[in-house]
Amino acid sequence: MATLLKHSAKYALSGRLARLGVHSRHGGLQCLQPRLLPHQRSASTSSKILVEMDDSTGIAVLTMKNPPVNSLSLDFLTEFSISLEKLELDRGCRGVILTSALPKIFSAGLDIMEMYGKSPEHCGEFWKAVQEMWLRLYGSSMITIAAINGSSPAGGCLMALACDYRIMAENPKYSIGLNETQLGIVAPFWFKDTLVNTVGNRAAELSLQLGLLYSAPDALRTGLVDLLVPEDKVLSTASQTMTQWLAIPGENAIGSNPRVSSS
Ligand SMILES: CC/C=C\C/C=C\C/C=C\C=C\CC(=O)SCCNC(=O)CCNC(=O)[C@H](O)C(C)(C)COP(=O)(O)OP(=O)(O)OC[C@H]1O[C@@H](n2cnc3c(N)ncnc32)[C@H](O)[C@@H]1OP(=O)(O)O
């Protein structure tokens, strides 16, 4: 792992971006058009991420659209981090809702094909991109809400855990969890820490050691998600919740985040 991380340090995000040429406004799938309302300011889309920014509320919706299962490939992670960085730099943006354009899937986690038969250099670059995604999301100074409209195993669960609040569709077929143990791998320590910070020590121990995938109701009971709502209400509820959080006086909901504030 140390070798992988050392390798990865050689690769800057900006370099990957330049190679990818992200933010083509016309990229993406035809069925995934921006859902702009008249008062909204802008939508930008790269091939795997759609960002819709509502200038009147300061809320952005970041929609993952990487079929078939929103796996976290290097290209996807690069586009994701760039999109988040742009929002972070936009002083008008105060909150980000993370959701999926795909039916039944939030994210399947790390793209398995990125870890199979690849060079150490590629693995290093990939692993750095995974860490960068987590750092950007977990350390964001914006309010972040995961609108989980499908299953979300492993790295997909990590993404949701890195947000401030999680709203999941109450569909009993959907599952979420850090199930790495069941896949024959040990979850990295920062996956573990993120889970412990959310559900507490004992629940995290059981969850990680057994590699549990929770149904939506069990995820709520464990504290892995904060709220279950009908599937067609996930995004609207996320929007309402965001509005409530952003109304906390003095932006204290942002300033009180222990992850980004030392005071
Ligand atoms: C280089 C790294 C260096 C160091 C690493 C060190 C440590 C890492 C340690 C742990 C990190 C782990 C984090 C992870 O996230 S690992 C990935 C774990 N994810 C999974 O195992 C998800 C597996 N997928 C599923 O459970 C299901 O596919 C589903 C529930 C998401 C969706 O089920 P469906 O029935 O709707 O769809 P499927 O028919 O199963 O799949 C459709 C299609 O998608 C492909 N696919 C699914 N998951 C992945 C994936 N994670 N990566 C790439 N591709 C995926 C699947 O193969 C199908 O493809 P085909 O249609 O057959 O082509």
Side-chain angles (χ1 to χ4, degrees):
M1 179 65 74
T3 317
L4 276 179
L5 292 178
K6 223 182 282 170
H7 263 297
S8 68
K10 289 198 285 184
Y11 297 89
L13 184 65
S14 54
R16 294 202 302 274
L17 242 196
R19 283 202 301 281
L20 274 171
V22 294
H23 285 288
S24 131
R25 278 185 159 267
H26 306 291
L29 305 174
Q30 290 202 334
C31 61
L32 299 168
Q33 293 300 316
R35 299 169 302 239
L36 269 184
L37 298 173
H39 61 278
Q40 285 181 321
R41 185 186 62 180
S42 61
S44 68
T45 182
S46 58
S47 61
K48 300 172 193 313
I49 304 279
L50 169 66
V51 177
E52 294 161 284
M53 174 69 195
D54 185 333
D55 210 20
S56 66
T57 60
I59 300 172
V61 178
L62 192 159
T63 305
M64 302 181 280
K65 50 181 185 101
N66 189 23
V69 290
N70 280 336
S71 65
L72 309 179
S73 63
L74 180 57
D75 286 355
F76 175 90
L77 289 164
T78 303
E79 291 185 22
F80 183 89
S81 288
I82 294 296
S83 299
L84 211 55
E85 183 184 23
K86 279 190 152 191
L87 292 173
E88 200 80 54
L89 293 172
D90 180 346
R91 294 179 72 89
C93 183
R94 300 163 65 220
V96 179
I97 295 169
L98 175 61
T99 195
S100 164
L102 309 182
K104 300 186 293 184
I105 309 288
F106 183 72
S107 166
L110 304 194
D111 192 311
I112 289 161
M113 300 316 290
E114 295 281 9
M115 300 182 275
Y116 178 74
K118 293 287 197 288
S119 68
E121 287 78 13
H122 182 92
C123 288
E125 192 174 5
F126 175 62
W127 196 236
K128 179 167 183 272
V130 177
Q131 292 175 323
E132 183 144 357
M133 172 275 290
W134 174 77
L135 282 170
R136 285 208 177 280
L137 210 44
Y138 206 45
S140 175
S141 58
M142 303 174 289
I143 299 294
T144 50
I145 295 182
I148 309 164
N149 49 352
S151 288
S152 201
C157 176
L158 179 76
M159 277 187 130
L161 284 172
C163 293
D164 292 304
Y165 196 76
R166 282 156 290 284
I167 299 168
M168 188 169 182
E170 61 190 6
N171 186 329
K173 289 189 180 156
Y174 298 163
S175 61
I176 183 167
L178 293 183
N179 60 324
E180 280 77 359
T181 311
Q182 291 285 357
L183 307 171
I185 40 187
V186 174
F189 72 91
W190 42 285
F191 282 49
K192 294 180 195 171
D193 290 349
T194 311
L195 183 66
V196 168
N197 288 347
T198 306
V199 301
N201 267 304
R202 184 59 188 143
E205 278 175 354
L206 287 172
S207 177
L208 290 163
Q209 290 188 276
L210 301 174
L212 297 178
L213 274 179
Y214 297 89
S215 66
D218 285 347
L220 181 67
R221 265 189 289 277
T222 310
L224 196 55
V225 301
D226 299 294
L227 188 64
L228 298 188
V229 296
E231 189 144 9
D232 61 347
K233 297 278 188 297
V234 173
L235 205 49
S236 58
T237 307
S239 197
Q240 286 158 14
T241 307
M242 181 67 83
T243 303
Q244 287 164 3
W245 279 55
L246 292 177
I248 303 292
E251 304 217 328
N252 283 333
I254 296 175
S256 305
N257 181 350
R259 303 193 300 266
V260 293
S261 161
S262 53
S263 58

Coordinates of all heavy atoms in Angstrom, one line a residue, residues 1 4 67-72 103-105 107-116 118 122-124 126-127 130 151-156 175 178-180 183 185-188 191 213, ligand 1:
M1 N 0.8 -1.2 0.0 CA 0.0 0.0 0.0 C 0.9 1.3 0.0 O 0.6 2.2 -0.7 CB -0.9 0.0 1.2 CG -1.8 1.2 1.3 SD -3.0 1.3 0.0 CE -4.2 0.0 0.4
L4 N 2.1 1.9 -3.3 CA 1.0 2.5 -4.2 C 0.8 3.9 -3.9 O 0.7 4.7 -4.8 CB -0.3 1.8 -3.8 CG -0.5 0.4 -4.5 CD1 -1.8 -0.2 -4.1 CD2 -0.5 0.6 -6.0
P67 N -23.3 4.7 -16.2 CA -23.9 3.3 -16.3 C -22.9 2.3 -16.5 O -21.8 2.6 -17.0 CB -24.8 3.5 -17.6 CG -24.8 4.9 -17.9 CD -23.7 5.6 -17.3
P68 N -23.1 1.0 -16.1 CA -24.5 0.6 -15.7 C -24.7 0.7 -14.2 O -25.9 0.7 -13.8 CB -24.4 -0.9 -16.0 CG -23.0 -1.3 -15.9 CD -22.2 -0.1 -16.4
V69 N -23.6 1.0 -13.4 CA -23.9 0.9 -11.9 C -23.2 2.1 -11.2 O -23.0 2.0 -10.0 CB -23.4 -0.5 -11.3 CG1 -24.3 -1.6 -11.8 CG2 -22.0 -0.8 -11.7
N70 N -22.8 3.1 -11.9 CA -22.0 4.2 -11.2 C -20.8 3.7 -10.5 O -20.5 4.1 -9.3 CB -22.9 5.0 -10.2 CG -23.8 6.0 -10.9 OD1 -23.5 6.5 -12.0 ND2 -24.9 6.4 -10.3
S71 N -20.1 2.8 -11.1 CA -18.9 2.3 -10.4 C -17.8 3.5 -10.5 O -17.8 4.3 -11.4 CB -18.3 1.1 -11.1 OG -17.9 1.4 -12.4
L72 N -17.0 3.5 -9.4 CA -16.0 4.6 -9.3 C -14.7 4.3 -10.0 O -13.8 3.8 -9.5 CB -15.8 4.8 -7.8 CG -17.0 4.9 -6.9 CD1 -16.7 5.1 -5.4 CD2 -17.9 6.1 -7.4
P103 N -31.5 4.0 -12.4 CA -32.5 3.3 -11.6 C -31.9 2.2 -10.7 O -31.0 1.5 -11.2 CB -33.4 2.7 -12.7 CG -32.6 2.6 -13.9 CD -31.6 3.7 -13.9
K104 N -32.3 2.2 -9.5 CA -32.0 1.1 -8.5 C -30.5 1.2 -8.0 O -30.2 0.4 -7.1 CB -32.2 -0.2 -9.1 CG -33.6 -0.5 -9.6 CD -33.9 -1.9 -10.0 CE -33.1 -2.2 -11.3 NZ -33.3 -3.5 -11.8
I105 N -29.7 2.0 -8.5 CA -28.3 2.0 -8.0 C -27.8 3.4 -7.7 O -28.0 4.4 -8.5 CB -27.3 1.5 -9.1 CG1 -27.7 0.2 -9.7 CG2 -25.9 1.4 -8.6 CD1 -27.6 -1.0 -8.9
S107 N -24.4 3.8 -6.1 CA -23.1 3.5 -6.7 C -22.7 2.1 -6.2 O -22.8 1.8 -5.1 CB -22.1 4.6 -6.2 OG -20.8 4.1 -6.5
A108 N -22.1 1.4 -7.2 CA -21.6 0.0 -6.9 C -20.2 0.1 -6.2 O -19.6 -1.0 -6.0 CB -21.6 -0.8 -8.1
G109 N -19.7 1.2 -5.9 CA -18.4 1.3 -5.3 C -17.2 1.3 -6.3 O -17.5 1.6 -7.5
L110 N -16.1 1.0 -5.8 CA -14.9 1.1 -6.7 C -15.1 0.2 -7.9 O -15.6 -0.9 -7.8 CB -13.6 0.6 -5.9 CG -13.3 1.3 -4.6 CD1 -11.8 1.0 -4.2 CD2 -13.4 2.8 -4.7
D111 N -14.6 0.7 -9.0 CA -14.7 0.0 -10.3 C -13.7 -1.2 -10.2 O -12.5 -1.0 -10.2 CB -14.4 0.9 -11.5 CG -14.8 0.2 -12.8 OD1 -14.4 -1.0 -13.0 OD2 -15.5 0.8 -13.6
I112 N -14.2 -2.4 -10.2 CA -13.4 -3.6 -10.0 C -12.4 -3.7 -11.1 O -11.2 -4.1 -10.9 CB -14.3 -4.8 -9.9 CG1 -15.0 -4.8 -8.5 CG2 -13.4 -6.1 -10.0 CD1 -16.2 -5.7 -8.4
M113 N -12.8 -3.3 -12.3 CA -11.8 -3.4 -13.5 C -10.6 -2.5 -13.4 O -9.6 -2.7 -14.0 CB -12.6 -3.1 -14.8 CG -13.8 -4.0 -15.1 SD -13.4 -5.7 -14.7 CE -12.2 -6.1 -16.1
E114 N -10.7 -1.5 -12.5 CA -9.6 -0.6 -12.3 C -8.5 -1.2 -11.4 O -7.4 -0.8 -11.3 CB -10.0 0.7 -11.6 CG -10.9 1.6 -12.4 CD -10.2 2.4 -13.5 OE1 -9.0 2.2 -13.7 OE2 -10.8 3.3 -14.1
M115 N -8.8 -2.3 -10.8 CA -7.9 -3.0 -9.9 C -7.4 -4.3 -10.4 O -6.7 -5.0 -9.7 CB -8.6 -3.1 -8.5 CG -9.0 -1.8 -7.9 SD -9.7 -2.0 -6.2 CE -11.4 -2.4 -6.6
Y116 N -7.8 -4.7 -11.6 CA -7.5 -6.0 -12.1 C -6.6 -5.9 -13.3 O -6.9 -5.3 -14.3 CB -8.8 -6.7 -12.5 CG -8.6 -8.1 -13.1 CD1 -8.3 -9.1 -12.3 CD2 -8.7 -8.3 -14.5 CE1 -8.1 -10.4 -12.8 CE2 -8.5 -9.5 -15.0 CZ -8.2 -10.6 -14.2 OH -8.0 -11.8 -14.7
K118 N -3.8 -4.3 -13.8 CA -3.3 -2.9 -14.1 C -1.9 -2.7 -13.6 O -1.5 -3.4 -12.6 CB -4.3 -1.9 -13.5 CG -5.7 -1.8 -14.1 CD -5.6 -1.3 -15.5 CE -7.0 -0.8 -16.1 NZ -7.9 -1.9 -16.4
H122 N -0.8 2.7 -12.6 CA -2.3 3.0 -12.7 C -3.0 2.8 -11.4 O -3.8 3.6 -11.0 CB -2.9 2.0 -13.8 CG -4.3 2.2 -14.0 ND1 -4.8 3.1 -15.0 CD2 -5.4 1.8 -13.3 CE1 -6.1 3.1 -14.9 NE2 -6.5 2.3 -13.9
C123 N -2.6 1.7 -10.7 CA -3.2 1.4 -9.4 C -3.0 2.6 -8.4 O -3.9 3.0 -7.7 CB -2.7 0.2 -8.8 SG -3.2 -1.3 -9.6
G124 N -1.7 3.2 -8.5 CA -1.4 4.3 -7.6 C -2.3 5.5 -7.9 O -2.8 6.2 -7.1
F126 N -5.2 5.5 -9.5 CA -6.6 5.2 -9.1 C -6.8 5.4 -7.6 O -7.8 6.0 -7.2 CB -6.9 3.7 -9.5 CG -8.3 3.3 -9.1 CD1 -9.4 3.9 -9.6 CD2 -8.4 2.2 -8.2 CE1 -10.7 3.5 -9.2 CE2 -9.7 1.8 -7.8 CZ -10.8 2.5 -8.3
W127 N -5.9 4.8 -6.8 CA -6.1 4.9 -5.4 C -6.0 6.3 -4.9 O -6.8 6.7 -4.0 CB -5.0 4.0 -4.7 CG -5.4 3.7 -3.3 CD1 -4.7 3.9 -2.1 CD2 -6.6 3.1 -2.8 NE1 -5.3 3.5 -1.0 CE2 -6.5 3.0 -1.4 CE3 -7.8 2.6 -3.4 CZ2 -7.6 2.5 -0.6 CZ3 -8.8 2.1 -2.6 CH2 -8.7 2.0 -1.3
V130 N -9.4 7.8 -5.4 CA -10.4 7.4 -4.4 C -10.2 8.2 -3.2 O -11.2 8.8 -2.6 CB -10.2 5.9 -4.1 CG1 -11.2 5.5 -3.0 CG2 -10.3 5.0 -5.3
S151 N -29.2 1.0 -4.5 CA -28.2 0.2 -3.6 C -26.8 0.9 -3.7 O -26.5 1.6 -4.6 CB -28.0 -1.2 -4.2 OG -29.2 -1.9 -3.9
S152 N -26.1 0.7 -2.6 CA -24.8 1.4 -2.4 C -23.8 0.6 -1.6 O -23.6 0.9 -0.4 CB -25.1 2.8 -1.8 OG -24.1 3.7 -2.1
P153 N -23.3 -0.4 -2.2 CA -22.3 -1.2 -1.4 C -20.9 -0.6 -1.4 O -20.6 0.3 -2.2 CB -22.2 -2.5 -2.2 CG -22.6 -2.1 -3.6 CD -23.5 -1.0 -3.5
A154 N -20.1 -1.0 -0.4 CA -18.6 -0.7 -0.4 C -18.3 0.8 -0.6 O -18.8 1.7 0.1 CB -17.9 -1.6 -1.3
G155 N -17.5 1.1 -1.6 CA -17.1 2.5 -1.9 C -18.3 3.4 -2.1 O -18.3 4.6 -1.9
G156 N -19.5 2.9 -2.6 CA -20.7 3.7 -2.8 C -21.2 4.1 -1.4 O -21.6 5.2 -1.2
S175 N -29.8 -2.0 -0.8 CA -29.0 -2.3 0.4 C -27.8 -1.3 0.4 O -27.4 -0.8 -0.7 CB -28.5 -3.7 0.4 OG -27.7 -4.0 -0.8
L178 N -20.6 -1.2 4.2 CA -19.2 -1.5 3.9 C -19.0 -3.0 3.9 O -18.7 -3.5 5.0 CB -18.3 -0.7 4.8 CG -18.3 0.8 4.8 CD1 -17.3 1.4 5.7 CD2 -18.0 1.3 3.3
N179 N -19.2 -3.7 2.8 CA -19.2 -5.1 2.8 C -17.9 -5.7 2.3 O -17.9 -6.9 1.9 CB -20.4 -5.6 1.9 CG -20.2 -5.1 0.4 OD1 -19.7 -4.0 0.2 ND2 -20.6 -5.9 -0.5
E180 N -16.8 -4.9 2.5 CA -15.5 -5.4 1.9 C -15.1 -6.8 2.4 O -14.6 -7.6 1.7 CB -14.4 -4.4 2.3 CG -14.4 -3.1 1.4 CD -15.5 -2.1 1.7 OE1 -16.3 -2.3 2.6 OE2 -15.5 -1.1 1.0
L183 N -16.1 -9.5 0.5 CA -15.5 -9.5 -0.8 C -14.0 -10.0 -0.7 O -13.3 -10.1 -1.7 CB -15.5 -8.1 -1.5 CG -16.8 -7.4 -1.6 CD1 -16.6 -6.0 -2.0 CD2 -17.7 -8.2 -2.6
I185 N -11.7 -8.6 1.2 CA -10.7 -7.5 1.4 C -11.0 -6.8 2.7 O -12.1 -6.8 3.2 CB -10.7 -6.4 0.3 CG1 -12.1 -6.1 -0.2 CG2 -9.8 -6.8 -0.9 CD1 -12.2 -5.3 -1.5
V186 N -10.0 -6.1 3.3 CA -10.2 -5.4 4.5 C -10.4 -3.9 4.2 O -9.6 -3.3 3.4 CB -8.9 -5.5 5.4 CG1 -9.0 -4.7 6.6 CG2 -8.7 -7.0 5.8
A187 N -11.4 -3.3 4.7 CA -11.7 -1.9 4.4 C -10.6 -1.1 5.0 O -10.1 -1.3 6.1 CB -13.0 -1.5 5.1
P188 N -10.1 -0.1 4.1 CA -9.0 0.7 4.6 C -9.4 1.5 5.9 O -10.6 1.7 6.1 CB -8.8 1.7 3.4 CG -9.3 1.0 2.2 CD -10.4 0.1 2.8
F191 N -11.9 4.3 5.7 CA -13.3 3.8 5.5 C -13.9 3.5 6.9 O -15.0 3.9 7.2 CB -13.4 2.5 4.7 CG -13.2 2.6 3.2 CD1 -12.2 3.3 2.6 CD2 -14.1 1.9 2.3 CE1 -12.0 3.3 1.2 CE2 -13.9 1.9 1.0 CZ -12.9 2.6 0.4
L213 N -24.3 -5.9 4.7 CA -25.1 -5.0 3.8 C -26.4 -4.9 4.4 O -27.1 -5.9 4.7 CB -25.2 -5.6 2.4 CG -24.1 -5.4 1.4 CD1 -24.4 -6.1 0.1 CD2 -23.8 -3.9 1.2
Ligands
LIG1 C1 -5.7 -0.1 -6.9 C2 -6.3 -0.2 -5.6 C3 -5.2 -0.3 -4.6 C4 -5.4 -0.6 -3.4 C5 -6.7 -1.0 -2.9 C6 -6.5 -1.5 -1.5 C7 -7.5 -1.7 -0.8 C8 -8.9 -1.5 -1.3 C9 -9.8 -2.1 -0.3 C10 -11.1 -2.0 -0.3 C11 -11.9 -1.2 -1.1 C12 -13.1 -1.6 -1.5 C13 -14.1 -0.7 -1.9 C14 -15.0 -1.1 -3.0 O1 -15.8 -0.4 -3.4 S1 -14.7 -2.6 -3.9 C15 -16.1 -2.8 -5.0 C16 -17.2 -3.4 -4.3 N1 -18.4 -3.3 -5.0 C17 -19.0 -4.4 -5.3 O2 -18.6 -5.5 -5.1 C18 -20.4 -4.2 -6.0 C19 -20.7 -5.4 -6.8 N2 -21.9 -5.2 -7.6 C20 -23.1 -5.5 -7.1 O3 -23.3 -5.8 -5.9 C21 -24.3 -5.3 -8.1 O4 -23.7 -5.2 -9.4 C22 -25.2 -4.1 -7.8 C23 -26.0 -4.3 -6.5 C24 -24.4 -2.8 -7.6 C25 -26.1 -4.0 -9.0 O5 -26.8 -5.2 -9.2 P1 -27.6 -5.4 -10.6 O6 -28.2 -6.8 -10.5 O7 -28.5 -4.3 -10.8 O8 -26.5 -5.3 -11.7 P2 -25.4 -6.5 -12.1 O9 -26.0 -7.3 -13.2 O10 -24.8 -7.1 -10.9 O11 -24.2 -5.5 -12.7 C26 -24.4 -4.8 -14.0 C27 -23.1 -4.7 -14.6 O12 -22.3 -3.8 -13.8 C28 -21.0 -4.5 -13.5 N3 -20.5 -4.1 -12.1 C29 -21.2 -4.2 -11.0 N4 -20.5 -3.8 -10.0 C30 -19.3 -3.3 -10.5 C31 -18.1 -2.7 -10.0 N5 -18.0 -2.4 -8.6 N6 -17.1 -2.4 -10.8 C32 -17.2 -2.6 -12.1 N7 -18.3 -3.2 -12.7 C33 -19.4 -3.5 -11.9 C34 -21.4 -6.0 -13.6 O13 -20.2 -6.7 -13.8 C35 -22.3 -6.0 -14.7 O14 -21.5 -5.9 -15.9 P3 -21.9 -6.7 -17.2 O15 -23.3 -6.2 -17.6 O16 -21.9 -8.1 -16.8 O17 -20.9 -6.3 -18.2

